[in-house]
Amino acid sequence: MARTTIQDLMKWKREGHRWVCLTAYDAPTARVLAATEVPVVLVGDSLGNVILGHDSTIPVTMENMVHHTAAVRRGAPELFIVGDLPFLAVQVSEDEAVRNAGRLIQEGGADAVKLEGGGPRAATVKRIIEAGIPVMGHLGLTPQNATQLGGYRVQGVDENSARKIREDAISLEQAGAFSIVLECVPAPLAASIAKELAIPIIGIGAGGDVDAQVLVFHDLVGLSGDFQPRFVRRYVEIEEQMRDAVKRFQEDVTSGSFPSSKESFSMPHSKDAAEGSEQNPETELSG
Ligand code: KIV
């Protein structure tokens, strides 16, 4: 599959073709997404909660993001990858924001970056884009400032905050963002913003009338414990299957049925075999 381009995303918007974005934080997940032709992958700072065991995204660092973005790139050389800018990566100064965005591209191998925040971030978005780096915005429930927002709750429910989200979306588009994630906002608000803007609106908990849907991969496959907000649909219960596999392995070891002779290596008999030549199957790890 050819790597998705921003031109593809704009064309899909014009044509009304809906697409998906999923998170990935490591090479094996990236490989799965590449095989299923997911057009856009986000190495989100949800890394903090999903992988690193934190209870928020605040502790996530640039080092974490570069490290995991690079792993995703190694797992899927052809995917369009967006690297997330974590807490304090863009807030301190525009120069620092450009440098941090550049690290996700240069060291992490991302194609674009995502950052949280609206109007006040527009100048920073512009600077990053001027450096040649495409930017995805993120409005609504922005976990990096969840405390200011009153916790993890739906945003834009009253007239003022809905207006602010709409104005923020417009300023991000005017600053040059190529798309915007709208997280946990009422469906009618998201739909009207998607209709008004020329760039794709990617919803999560934002209803169905937007241009694309993003979910955290681990939520989709049931690898996020009891965490199941209503905007998530689980397609498989992987955690249950993993527990079952571990239990069966333990049973097989305690009963003595693992490893079998097929899962063990025998002593080489011939001179060739002892030298580890290709003719000797006993020196091959697989097969
Ligand atoms: O960090 C993340 O995974 C995100 C998505 C939920 C949009 O921001």
Side-chain angles (χ1 to χ4, degrees):
M1 185 184 88
R3 195 179 297 193
T4 306
T5 62
I6 289 170
Q7 287 70 21
D8 291 330
L9 303 181
M10 296 305 168
K11 183 166 167 271
W12 295 343
K13 167 99 188 182
R14 289 193 301 275
E15 292 173 349
H17 167 71
R18 289 189 189 168
W19 47 277
V20 307
C21 171
L22 280 165
T23 63
Y25 316 98
D26 56 29
T29 311
R31 206 170 53 233
V32 170
L33 298 183
T36 48
E37 303 202 347
V38 165
V40 177
V41 168
L42 170 67
V43 187
D45 65 351
S46 50
L47 168 75
N49 311 66
V50 179
I51 300 294
L52 302 180
H54 298 300
D55 61 4
S56 79
T57 58
I58 300 301
V60 177
T61 64
M62 271 308 299
E63 298 312 317
N64 295 151
M65 291 309 305
V66 167
H67 183 79
H68 285 267
T69 304
V72 171
R73 173 53 78 212
R74 285 191 292 273
E78 292 312 321
L79 280 179
F80 184 91
I81 296 175
V82 181
D84 216 356
L85 285 158
F87 181 61
L88 284 192
V90 300
Q91 288 87 342
V92 177
S93 73
E94 287 176 17
D95 285 349
E96 220 174 288
V98 173
R99 198 167 299 287
N100 285 328
R103 287 193 66 197
L104 289 178
I105 304 290
Q106 197 170 42
E107 299 171 48
D111 299 290
V113 300
K114 174 170 88 56
L115 59 84
E116 294 183 9
R121 288 281 160 266
T124 305
V125 168
K126 227 168 163 190
R127 278 287 310 279
I128 297 173
I129 293 168
E130 277 164 12
I133 302 169
V135 177
M136 176 185 280
H138 185 162
L139 298 171
L141 173 52
T142 43
Q144 289 173 21
N145 69 331
T147 311
Q148 281 176 328
L149 298 176
Y152 295 87
R153 47 182 62 247
V154 180
Q155 302 296 308
V157 286
D158 61 71
E159 215 176 294
N160 275 346
S161 67
R163 187 178 332 106
K164 172 139 188 354
I165 291 172
R166 178 189 306 282
E167 286 168 3
D168 281 347
I170 292 167
S171 18
L172 287 178
E173 178 172 64
Q174 285 171 351
F178 74 93
S179 59
I180 298 173
V181 169
L182 265 189
E183 180 165 354
C184 292
V185 300
L189 173 64
S192 72
I193 294 175
K195 202 160 170 213
E196 192 174 339
L197 267 57
I199 57 173
I201 298 299
I202 309 161
I204 174 164
D209 285 330
V210 289
D211 306 296
Q213 296 288 331
V214 57
L215 279 183
V216 167
F217 176 83
H218 291 63
D219 293 343
L220 179 96
V221 299
L223 192 53
S224 44
D226 296 334
F227 179 74
Q228 198 172 3
R230 75 189 240 188
F231 57 81
V232 166
R233 187 178 294 178
R234 277 191 184 176
Y235 288 84
V236 62
E237 296 292 342
I238 282 288
E239 205 160 310
E240 254 173 57
Q241 292 184 29
M242 288 168 107
R243 275 198 302 268
D244 184 52
V246 173
K247 272 192 206 146
R248 284 168 46 211
F249 173 57
Q250 292 191 110
E251 281 161 17
D252 288 353
V253 169
T254 48
S255 72
S257 83
F258 179 88
S260 65
S261 58
K262 264 186 152 174
E263 289 152 337
S264 308
F265 303 103
S266 55
M267 282 294 280
H269 301 300
S270 68
K271 185 170 169 290
D272 271 359
E275 284 165 4
S277 79
E278 275 176 12
Q279 287 87 3
N280 176 21
E282 288 304 325
T283 59
E284 301 296 328
L285 294 187
S286 59

